[in-house]
Amino acid sequence: MGCPDAELSVTLTGDRGIRILNREYLGRDKTTNVISFAMQEGEFGAVNPDVLGDVIICVDTAAREAEEADESFFGRVAFLLLHGILHITGYDHERSGEAEAARMEEAEARIFGILKEEGLV
């Protein structure tokens, strides 16, 4: 990802916690599987370039998604962490159109594939 010495905060929460964060910070009053907050954006983004940001993963939603997809809980959480890190490092599948969404999906597949090959997920 080009930031080997960077810091990242990872929080695991439940449906209630992620819904509160989603409502308060993103204006969406519902649960979601992962939210990320980039610290290198905005007016003070350059204050500490070694701090990437925060990734908040909802373990309740991750567990439901893992069960529905017949995959491991750990694998689902690892994928959501990767998804959040990609958002923090500049990937966007929601606001930047289909080409950027495809670029993010390719990066997810490539990196997650490497993690699987290495036996890490």
Side-chain angles (χ1 to χ4, degrees), residues 49-99:
D50 290 334
V51 177
L52 289 179
D54 306 294
V55 176
I56 299 95
I57 298 169
C58 180
V59 294
D60 295 332
T61 301
R64 286 190 301 272
E65 291 175 348
E67 186 175 332
E68 290 169 9
D70 196 29
E71 62 185 21
S72 76
F73 171 72
F74 178 78
R76 185 64 188 156
V77 169
F79 180 83
L80 293 173
L81 177 59
L82 171 61
H83 186 86
I85 291 170
L86 287 173
H87 272 296
I88 285 175
T89 57
Y91 288 81
D92 181 14
H93 62 90
E94 296 177 321
R95 294 172 278 183
S96 296
E98 291 181 26

Side-chain angles (χ1 to χ4, degrees), residues 8-74:
L8 177 72
S9 168
V10 178
T11 301
L12 304 176
T13 190
D15 284 335
R16 182 174 178 267
I18 201 112
R19 185 175 184 166
I20 290 169
L21 290 171
N22 206 13
R23 181 180 58 239
E24 295 295 318
Y25 292 97
L26 301 175
R28 302 173 185 152
D29 190 16
K30 62 181 183 175
T31 60
T32 188
N33 53 14
V34 64
I35 297 175
S36 58
F37 298 101
M39 296 298 291
Q40 296 180 354
E41 295 177 354
E43 184 179 349
F44 301 103
V47 169
N48 192 345
D50 290 334
V51 177
L52 289 179
D54 306 294
V55 176
I56 299 95
I57 298 169
C58 180
V59 294
D60 295 332
T61 301
R64 286 190 301 272
E65 291 175 348
E67 186 175 332
E68 290 169 9
D70 196 29
E71 62 185 21
S72 76
F73 171 72
F74 178 78

